[in-house]
Amino acid sequence: MAKSDDCVHILQGLLVFGNVVIGMCGIALTAECIYFVSSPHGLNPLVKATESSDIYAAAWIGIFVGLALFALSILGIIGVIKASRTLLLVYIILMLITFAFEMASCITAATHQDSLTPGFFLKQMLERYQKSEPANNSDNEVTKTWDEIMLQNHCCGVLGPSDWQEYTSAFRLTHSDADYPWPRKCCVLDAQGLPVNFDGCKLGVPGYYNSNGCYDAISGPVSTHAWGVAWFGFAILCWTFCVLLGTMFYWSGIEY
Amino acid sequence: FRGCSGGSTPSTAPPRLLTAAQLQYRPVLTQDPRLEGQITASTFVLDQPRCVFQDYGNADIWLVVALNQAVSTFNTSAVPGTSETAFQSFPDPVRAYMTLNATLGHYPCPKPDGEITVLRVGSETSCAQDVSRPTCNGPLPGPGPYRVKFLALEGSVPVAETAWSAPIMLRTAKSPSSVSTTGSGHSAGMIAITTILSILFAILLAALVAMLVFWSSDSCGDSSTFSKPESVTVRRYNTHHVYDQPAARL
């Protein structure tokens, strides 16, 4: 029976290794989701203002799933070494529940990511930027965030300054088209924050206004985070799948 | 870079009917350089009429902005600065107004290289409601279409005029609710994640059910190939038969 002992030991070793990896990945997932929730990037007001908190729900689930994975991996290691049927059965069932939660989190993160289209940001910007009677604080946040984005990235609008011309907006209600074809922040500004050439900016002379849109600058960071949560979770789940199958096979072979 | 904005004192001399010289020049929207604000909802940008009115050094050059339908009824003997050509009454009842007064000195010929020489029609917002400024270059009240031409007046006598421009249509802004936010549907990545994870989860559930079924039915499909570390089989040696052998021989 030496050969089957070797097989047993190899399987045990593989399962322990698999659980160690799951434990470490659980910690990493928790850390990544905590970073995402408390992200220092200034784009969160734009996403928060949409009142769709799916991406944050996915991140919060990710935090708890990560901790659960770490705890369960320790349980799994103990169960494999002791070859205890009870422990391993508990481990398998709890792991399946965790798997289901993490699956929901990944799918939510991926679906939410798809909803951040240019049209989404454009509509929000047109309806809320420089709104004269802000309904709540999030409107002020939207205005401040957009001013910062346009200033730092030297861009204008979502697709370009023509956004302000093609659509009516809250901005247009308080600023006449002749004086403000697009907001002042779209002009090239000097060190004091004043337009370098006021008439050049209003006319749209190349060099005196920012002609490119801000969509690339906006969607980049948010997209990276969301895909990080979704794809990293997916990778963890694939690895967990293999470890769970191995554990079930090991469980069914234990003598009781 | 030069712009031009209007304003001059109206002339009160009685109009005299004289045929003005018809110049071949046709006012155009500025094409070079490409301006983002060439046409907005209430303004548009024209090229300055350089090297057009060379023979009329004493004349005042006015810009006439008219509704497309009013082009045929416009009379060159119209006097700028009166209520018949006041911007504030445009488009009803005034169907064509006159603005952006300039002299030949404002339009030196030839145009220096590197300078952007344009006329922005509609840039003066401060006098748009001020009836004491009938030659105000105020923002246009609607999307048009409009047609423009330049008219040179000496005193109140029209001496030269350009052709009418092509009809100029201004931008009409749409409502933000017409922006589509749905995008192009689900991305391939999201579909891949969903399907693969669903399949994996289904396999795991099936394996769990199979495992429990085999356990509860106590099937011998999986014999106990793995033993617990505590249970060690010890073979017992029966030593009694060694002593029986010699007794059987005897």
Side-chain angles (χ1 to χ4, degrees), chain A residues 4-5 8 11 81-83 85 89 92-93 96 99-100 103 106-107 110-111 114-115 117 119-120 122-123 126-127 161-162 165-169 176-179 181-182 197 199-200 202-206 209 211 227 230-231 234 237-238 241 244-245 248-256, chain B residues 1 33-43 45 116 118 120 122-125 139 171-190 192-194 196-201 203-205 207-208 211-212 215 218 222-231:
Chain A
S4 85
D5 272 348
V8 171
L11 187 59
I81 291 180
K82 280 191 157 183
R85 280 208 145 186
L89 189 61
I92 288 172
I93 291 179
L96 280 178
F99 191 100
M103 196 168 90
C106 285
I107 294 176
T111 310
D114 285 347
S115 74
T117 55
F120 167 80
L122 179 64
K123 195 164 183 173
L126 291 172
E127 288 175 353
S162 56
Q165 286 293 312
E166 279 180 50
Y167 298 96
T168 60
S169 52
S176 72
D177 172 79
D179 285 331
W182 33 77
N197 190 319
D199 290 321
K202 281 197 292 184
L203 277 176
V205 180
Y209 77 111
S211 57
W227 280 126
W231 284 107
F234 177 74
L237 287 182
C238 287
F241 170 77
L244 275 179
L245 275 188
M248 286 183 190
F249 178 68
Y250 179 72
W251 184 89
S252 59
I254 293 178
E255 189 184 82
Y256 69 98
Chain B
F1 173 71
R34 202 84 195 90
L35 297 177
E36 180 82 33
Q38 185 200 55
I39 299 183
T40 71
S42 59
T43 67
V45 182
I116 302 176
V118 295
R120 187 164 185 245
S123 64
E124 281 189 274
T125 49
R171 290 202 197 215
T172 322
K174 299 181 281 217
S175 162
S177 50
S178 65
V179 176
S180 97
T181 56
T182 50
S184 53
H186 298 295
S187 64
M190 178 257 170
I193 285 183
T194 311
I196 293 177
L197 286 183
S198 308
I199 292 173
L200 294 185
F201 192 59
I203 294 176
L204 283 178
L205 282 180
L208 177 71
M211 195 174 86
L212 293 176
W215 181 35
D218 209 23
D222 282 354
S223 58
S224 50
T225 49
F226 316 127
S227 52
K228 288 192 175 174
E230 294 89 27
S231 61

Side-chain angles (χ1 to χ4, degrees), chain A residues 127-147:
Chain A
E127 288 175 353
R128 300 227 195 154
Y129 179 74
Q130 299 251 13
K131 199 166 171 183
S132 50
E133 285 114 46
N136 46 26
N137 203 27
S138 71
D139 288 340
N140 287 335
E141 291 286 324
V142 170
T143 302
K144 269 199 303 192
T145 307
W146 267 107
D147 284 338

Side-chain angles (χ1 to χ4, degrees), chain A residues 15-129:
Chain A
L15 287 178
V16 168
F17 170 70
N19 277 302
V20 165
V21 171
I22 289 179
M24 294 194 305
C25 288
I27 300 284
L29 183 68
T30 304
E32 186 196 11
C33 290
I34 288 178
Y35 174 69
F36 180 67
V37 167
S38 64
S39 171
H41 284 288
L43 293 163
N44 289 339
L46 286 185
V47 181
K48 271 192 198 139
T50 67
E51 284 123 37
S52 124
S53 53
D54 287 348
I55 195 66
Y56 290 101
W60 278 106
I61 292 178
I63 293 176
F64 292 114
V65 162
L67 292 174
L69 283 177
F70 178 67
L72 284 178
S73 70
I74 294 179
L75 176 69
I77 291 174
I78 296 174
V80 164
I81 291 180
K82 280 191 157 183
S84 154
R85 280 208 145 186
T86 339
L87 276 183
L88 284 181
L89 189 61
V90 168
Y91 166 81
I92 288 172
I93 291 179
L94 288 181
M95 264 298 209
L96 280 178
I97 296 174
T98 311
F99 191 100
F101 272 104
E102 179 60 20
M103 196 168 90
S105 164
C106 285
I107 294 176
T108 309
T111 310
H112 181 84
Q113 182 48 39
D114 285 347
S115 74
L116 296 179
T117 55
F120 167 80
F121 287 113
L122 179 64
K123 195 164 183 173
Q124 185 193 61
M125 180 185 81
L126 291 172
E127 288 175 353
R128 300 227 195 154
Y129 179 74

Side-chain angles (χ1 to χ4, degrees), chain B:
Chain B
F1 173 71
R2 296 186 193 186
C4 191
S5 58
S8 92
T9 54
S11 162
T12 51
R16 279 181 281 165
L17 278 171
L18 275 181
T19 50
Q22 303 282 334
L23 301 175
Q24 293 300 314
Y25 177 75
R26 184 183 290 268
V28 289
L29 293 172
T30 304
Q31 304 290 341
D32 176 46
R34 202 84 195 90
L35 297 177
E36 180 82 33
Q38 185 200 55
I39 299 183
T40 71
S42 59
T43 67
F44 58 91
V45 182
L46 295 172
D47 271 336
Q48 287 180 1
R50 298 274 174 132
C51 310
V52 174
F53 292 99
Q54 292 312 106
D55 300 331
Y56 306 98
N58 294 325
D60 289 328
I61 304 170
W62 290 87
L63 178 71
V64 181
V65 180
L67 295 172
N68 194 17
Q69 314 86 282
V71 159
S72 47
T73 57
F74 177 71
N75 197 334
T76 53
S77 58
V79 179
T82 61
S83 55
E84 285 86 32
T85 55
F87 165 77
Q88 285 77 15
S89 309
F90 182 79
D92 182 54
V94 170
R95 315 256 288 164
Y97 69 96
M98 298 172 77
T99 184
L100 280 178
N101 180 21
T103 61
L104 192 60
H106 288 109
Y107 304 139
C109 182
K111 173 178 102 68
D113 279 336
E115 277 192 18
I116 302 176
T117 54
V118 295
L119 294 175
R120 187 164 185 245
V121 179
S123 64
E124 281 189 274
T125 49
S126 52
C127 57
Q129 310 294 330
D130 186 2
V131 289
S132 66
R133 295 269 323 271
T135 56
C136 179
N137 180 19
L140 294 158
Y146 302 102
R147 294 178 80 168
V148 298
K149 76 166 171 183
F150 291 98
L151 184 60
L153 299 175
E154 276 181 9
S156 58
V157 175
V159 293
E161 59 178 347
T162 66
W164 284 102
S165 70
I168 298 171
M169 197 73 188
L170 299 184
R171 290 202 197 215
T172 322
K174 299 181 281 217
S175 162
S177 50
S178 65
V179 176
S180 97
T181 56
T182 50
S184 53
H186 298 295
S187 64
M190 178 257 170
I191 294 179
I193 285 183
T194 311
T195 36
I196 293 177
L197 286 183
S198 308
I199 292 173
L200 294 185
F201 192 59
I203 294 176
L204 283 178
L205 282 180
L208 177 71
V209 166
M211 195 174 86
L212 293 176
V213 161
F214 285 145
W215 181 35
S216 61
S217 71
D218 209 23
S219 150
C220 59
D222 282 354
S223 58
S224 50
T225 49
F226 316 127
S227 52
K228 288 192 175 174
E230 294 89 27
S231 61
V232 173
T233 357
V234 175
R235 196 181 289 178
R236 296 189 176 276
Y237 288 89
N238 189 357
T239 54
H240 291 302
H241 74 280
V242 176
Y243 298 104
D244 285 344
Q245 285 284 48
R249 279 207 196 132
L250 285 176

Side-chain angles (χ1 to χ4, degrees), chain A residues 142-237:
Chain A
V142 170
T143 302
K144 269 199 303 192
T145 307
W146 267 107
D147 284 338
E148 260 181 53
I149 293 172
M150 293 200 282
L151 206 59
Q152 283 171 5
N153 297 297
H154 305 291
C155 58
C156 184
V158 173
L159 302 169
S162 56
D163 291 342
W164 302 103
Q165 286 293 312
E166 279 180 50
Y167 298 96
T168 60
S169 52
F171 172 77
R172 182 62 61 224
L173 290 176
T174 46
H175 298 78
S176 72
D177 172 79
D179 285 331
Y180 297 88
W182 33 77
R184 285 280 173 269
K185 292 286 188 290
C186 294
C187 302
V188 173
L189 302 175
D190 60 13
Q192 278 82 32
L194 298 170
V196 168
N197 190 319
F198 200 49
D199 290 321
C201 180
K202 281 197 292 184
L203 277 176
V205 180
Y208 294 107
Y209 77 111
N210 300 318
S211 57
N212 46 314
C214 299
Y215 180 65
D216 292 332
I218 296 173
S219 69
V222 180
S223 177
T224 319
H225 282 156
W227 280 126
V229 172
W231 284 107
F232 186 50
F234 177 74
I236 292 178
L237 287 182

